[in-house]
Amino acid sequence: MDFNAEYRKRTAEIESVITSYLPNEEGYQKIIMEAMNYSFLAGGKRLRPMLMSETYRLFGGKSKVIEPFMAAIEMIHTYSLVHDDLPAMDNDEYRRGKETTWKVYGEAMGILAGDALLNYAFETAARAFDMEPQNAGLGKALQILAKKAGIFGMVGGQVVDVQSENDTAMTKEKLDFIYRLKTSALIESSMLIGAVLAGATRNEQNIIEEVAEKVGLAFQIQDDILDVTSTMEVLGKPIGSDEKNHKVTYVTYEGLEKSKADVKQLSEEAISRMESLVVKNEFLTELLRYLISREK
Amino acid sequence: MDFNAEYRKRTAEIESVITSYLPNEEGYQKIIMEAMNYSFLAGGKRLRPMLMSETYRLFGGKSKVIEPFMAAIEMIHTYSLVHDDLPAMDNDEYRRGKETTWKVYGEAMGILAGDALLNYAFETAARAFDMEPQNAGLGKALQILAKKAGIFGMVGGQVVDVQSENDTAMTKEKLDFIYRLKTSALIESSMLIGAVLAGATRNEQNIIEEVAEKVGLAFQIQDDILDVTSTMEVLGKPIGSDEKNHKVTYVTYEGLEKSKADVKQLSEEAISRMESLVVKNEFLTELLRYLISREK
């Protein structure tokens, strides 16, 4: 398999699927659709919908019912970035080389665009009930989508992360908690929803959740590493933003070398756990390897 | 029927139901649960869950499956107030006689508390799938919950409302659009979900949606009237806030007398439409009358 060619092909397919769920820009409230679509179309690796779709494929899923959930998870990821960038949060003016949503549309519209994306994620996911009204996995998938995005998932992680500025009482346990919730939660959500909708067994779901947790952790630590070692040209946003915000990160806490070693170990554990499954998806395994060794 | 006694009794029952769905305040992210619960418990008439529960009762609904949706609609209403009050939005420091969420917990936590409440609303509603996995109305109810809260509902109304500051191009059509989305949408959501989960026919659902639209409109116009005619002591928040924010409201657009007349007409139409149904709920009819003639 030519991974790079396959990766480009599948990324394009996913882009086509998820953008088809964006709202038309029309009506008195047109500006909010513009702000939502601006945020959503500002780039990104589409990692979460890709992991969802590949996990769905791994367990033999073949229906289009996965598509609204693929769009939904990317909308949730996008809303979290829109709100994270707000002046009262990280106060970032650039992301992926483009101006952030609040910078283009103003602060009030930045708040509302995030709200709108979060809400539209659930509106979009709920369209699956029209596609397969009898599918008993849909309720479960919606529960996962909500739980992993909320106070016991991503929002919970953001909260402790916001509080970790100048945190002199940081512990390894607390740092792992932040990373597990802030980043792993949506990766877990993506892969678990793929597994559930494809009819994976309970045991298979548990393995997938473990893999996703490790991948998420490794991914976030790699992000911290790049914030220190990369350049604005490669990254598309200012480097050193964690230091600017006085954030305690994995890198400031554990040091650069230990962080790099932990990324390696976590990714090896994730792949070995994935390979313990009877079902196989070669592309997905390669994808996990690729994500963790990325340079941006 | 002693309406006032019955109203107090049912309000207390609803308070008990919806607060039972609030999260425990624990874990590293404890502060966000505190901020959510502070916002949710800061008072309010619990109008939306009451309308949902009474419409459910109207069509013969008897199960507890309505409860997570009652809590969810109030969480969505609460999140919208928390974000509306933010400095970048209406910049309000008091609501219902208490400090607003951002004023107590800071601006970043105000944003996150709103996000958390919106997300938790869907997390809570999705618990209904554990209660009645076979109930085919749940998917539909979730679709209504999301659609009426989002860009084609409440958020859409907030967006045009924010833009209506100093709007010299305001029209009656646009004003009705704002009111329909900003306020009626969640009332429609409440009553429609009650109807759908109780198994109302398509025609009955349409009548309920019409009633709810009129009630919502009347309720919002009454709100504008009180913003001009009431006092801070009665209202629990500063009066004249619309004028402060240079908002074009129904009252500034149509004048006080026409606004009062329209409230009366809308409420009569709503009640007459409600009475066209074969099923009856005397308390619900009285409730609609009461809501529209309220003094705070």
Side-chain angles (χ1 to χ4, degrees):
Chain A
M1 183 185 60
D2 178 347
F3 175 75
N4 288 326
E6 198 58 34
Y7 178 75
R8 279 193 302 274
K9 179 169 157 273
R10 296 194 191 190
T11 300
E13 284 165 6
I14 281 166
E15 191 72 16
S16 154
V17 165
I18 62 179
T19 55
S20 75
Y21 284 88
L22 291 175
N24 293 331
E25 299 176 357
E26 59 192 16
Y28 285 121
Q29 73 278 53
K30 185 175 179 217
I31 187 81
I32 194 76
M33 287 92 160
E34 289 177 9
M36 292 163 77
N37 294 348
Y38 173 83
S39 324
F40 194 92
L41 296 171
K45 287 174 280 289
R46 311 310 192 191
L47 163 62
R48 291 155 193 83
M50 187 179 277
L51 287 171
M52 187 185 286
S53 147
E54 292 302 329
T55 309
Y56 185 66
R57 213 181 273 225
L58 169 69
F59 291 107
K62 289 186 172 32
S63 138
K64 283 188 181 303
V65 79
I66 194 72
E67 293 188 354
F69 284 92
M70 289 165 60
I73 197 82
E74 189 70 7
M75 287 172 194
I76 290 177
H77 173 57
T78 305
Y79 116 78
S80 78
L81 302 181
V82 171
H83 278 187
D84 263 348
D85 289 336
L86 286 168
M89 303 277 286
D90 286 350
N91 194 23
D92 280 323
E93 301 189 355
Y94 289 91
R95 177 178 289 277
R96 298 171 187 145
K98 297 180 72 173
E99 282 192 320
T100 49
T101 307
W102 73 267
K103 188 75 181 142
V104 175
Y105 293 92
E107 212 176 326
M109 218 47 79
I111 294 167
L112 287 169
D115 293 349
L117 279 163
L118 174 55
N119 197 90
Y120 206 62
F122 289 104
E123 193 168 342
T124 301
R127 287 169 66 175
F129 289 100
D130 291 332
M131 300 164 79
E132 298 186 359
Q134 302 307 322
N135 187 330
L138 294 180
K140 178 78 183 152
L142 257 166
Q143 288 179 334
I144 294 167
L145 189 70
K147 180 159 191 198
K148 297 286 188 187
I151 50 176
F152 304 111
M154 185 184 66
V155 171
Q158 287 175 296
V159 166
V160 190
D161 192 42
V162 163
Q163 292 186 307
S164 79
E165 291 182 18
N166 299 309
D167 187 351
T168 52
M170 182 60 79
T171 60
K172 181 67 164 58
E173 193 191 78
K174 194 175 182 177
L175 198 61
D176 283 348
F177 175 92
I178 297 176
Y179 282 44
R180 162 111 210 235
L181 268 64
K182 190 177 72 160
T183 306
S184 291
L186 283 202
I187 311 266
E188 290 166 29
S189 176
S190 306
M191 297 184 73
L192 257 184
I193 289 172
V196 164
L197 289 182
T201 66
R202 191 78 215 186
N203 183 48
E204 287 168 331
Q205 290 174 30
N206 290 342
I207 291 174
I208 284 298
E209 194 169 11
E210 270 181 63
V211 168
E213 181 188 352
K214 288 176 196 298
V215 169
L217 262 170
F219 187 83
Q220 181 60 49
I221 299 170
Q222 183 68 8
D223 213 55
D224 293 344
I225 293 171
L226 293 174
D227 190 64
V228 175
T229 63
S230 190
T231 64
M232 178 157 174
E233 286 65 37
V234 174
L235 221 50
K237 63 181 180 184
I239 60 158
S241 67
D242 293 329
E243 196 184 347
K244 185 193 82 182
N245 292 320
H246 307 284
K247 287 262 173 82
V248 179
T249 73
Y250 206 91
V251 173
T252 58
Y253 192 84
E254 295 281 16
L256 196 55
E257 291 317 306
K258 172 82 164 76
S259 298
K260 286 181 179 173
D262 284 355
V263 166
K264 193 157 184 297
Q265 195 190 327
L266 282 162
S267 61
E268 279 165 10
E269 285 171 9
I271 286 161
S272 131
R273 208 76 189 90
M274 179 68 98
E275 286 175 339
S276 75
L277 289 167
V278 174
V279 289
K280 304 286 169 208
N281 175 342
E282 193 195 342
F283 177 77
L284 178 55
T285 310
E286 284 306 305
L287 177 63
L288 299 187
R289 257 187 251 283
Y290 166 79
L291 287 173
I292 296 162
S293 63
R294 75 208 154 89
E295 294 299 322
K296 64 174 183 173
Chain B
M1 184 184 61
D2 178 347
F3 175 75
N4 288 326
E6 198 59 33
Y7 178 74
R8 279 193 302 274
K9 181 169 156 272
R10 296 194 190 191
T11 301
E13 284 165 7
I14 281 166
E15 191 71 17
S16 155
V17 165
I18 62 180
T19 55
S20 75
Y21 284 88
L22 291 176
N24 292 331
E25 298 177 356
E26 61 192 15
Y28 285 121
Q29 73 277 54
K30 187 178 177 214
I31 187 82
I32 194 76
M33 286 93 159
E34 288 177 9
M36 292 163 78
N37 294 349
Y38 173 83
S39 324
F40 194 91
L41 296 172
K45 287 175 279 289
R46 309 312 191 190
L47 163 63
R48 291 155 194 82
M50 187 179 277
L51 286 170
M52 187 186 286
S53 149
E54 292 302 329
T55 309
Y56 185 65
R57 211 181 272 224
L58 169 69
F59 291 107
K62 288 186 172 33
S63 137
K64 282 187 180 306
V65 80
I66 195 71
E67 293 186 356
F69 284 92
M70 289 164 61
I73 197 81
E74 189 71 6
M75 287 171 194
I76 290 178
H77 173 57
T78 305
Y79 117 76
S80 77
L81 303 181
V82 170
H83 278 187
D84 263 346
D85 289 335
L86 285 167
M89 303 276 288
D90 286 350
N91 194 23
D92 280 323
E93 301 189 355
Y94 289 91
R95 178 179 289 278
R96 298 172 188 146
K98 296 181 73 172
E99 282 193 319
T100 51
T101 307
W102 73 267
K103 188 74 183 148
V104 175
Y105 292 91
E107 211 176 325
M109 219 46 79
I111 294 167
L112 288 169
D115 293 349
L117 278 163
L118 174 56
N119 197 90
Y120 207 62
F122 290 104
E123 194 169 343
T124 300
R127 288 170 65 177
F129 289 100
D130 291 331
M131 299 165 80
E132 298 186 0
Q134 303 308 322
N135 187 330
L138 293 180
K140 177 76 182 157
L142 256 166
Q143 288 180 334
I144 295 167
L145 189 70
K147 180 159 190 199
K148 297 286 188 186
I151 50 176
F152 304 111
M154 185 184 64
V155 171
Q158 286 175 295
V159 166
V160 190
D161 192 41
V162 163
Q163 293 185 309
S164 80
E165 290 182 22
N166 299 310
D167 186 351
T168 52
M170 182 61 78
T171 60
K172 181 65 163 57
E173 193 192 77
K174 194 174 183 179
L175 198 61
D176 282 348
F177 176 92
I178 297 176
Y179 282 43
R180 162 111 210 235
L181 269 65
K182 190 177 73 161
T183 307
S184 291
L186 283 202
I187 310 266
E188 291 166 28
S189 176
S190 306
M191 296 184 74
L192 257 184
I193 289 173
V196 165
L197 289 182
T201 66
R202 190 77 216 186
N203 183 48
E204 288 168 332
Q205 290 174 31
N206 290 342
I207 291 174
I208 284 298
E209 194 169 12
E210 270 182 63
V211 169
E213 181 188 351
K214 289 177 195 296
V215 169
L217 262 170
F219 186 82
Q220 182 59 50
I221 299 170
Q222 183 68 7
D223 214 53
D224 293 345
I225 293 171
L226 294 174
D227 190 64
V228 176
T229 61
S230 190
T231 64
M232 179 159 175
E233 285 66 37
V234 174
L235 220 52
K237 64 181 180 185
I239 60 159
S241 68
D242 292 328
E243 196 183 345
K244 185 192 83 181
N245 292 320
H246 306 286
K247 288 260 174 81
V248 179
T249 73
Y250 206 91
V251 172
T252 58
Y253 192 83
E254 295 282 16
L256 197 55
E257 290 318 306
K258 174 81 164 74
S259 299
K260 285 182 179 174
D262 284 354
V263 166
K264 192 156 184 296
Q265 195 191 327
L266 283 163
S267 62
E268 278 165 12
E269 285 170 8
I271 286 162
S272 129
R273 207 79 189 87
M274 179 69 96
E275 286 175 340
S276 75
L277 289 166
V278 174
V279 289
K280 303 286 168 210
N281 176 342
E282 193 195 344
F283 177 78
L284 178 55
T285 310
E286 284 306 306
L287 177 63
L288 300 186
R289 257 187 251 282
Y290 166 79
L291 287 172
I292 297 162
S293 63
R294 75 208 155 88
E295 294 299 320
K296 64 174 184 173

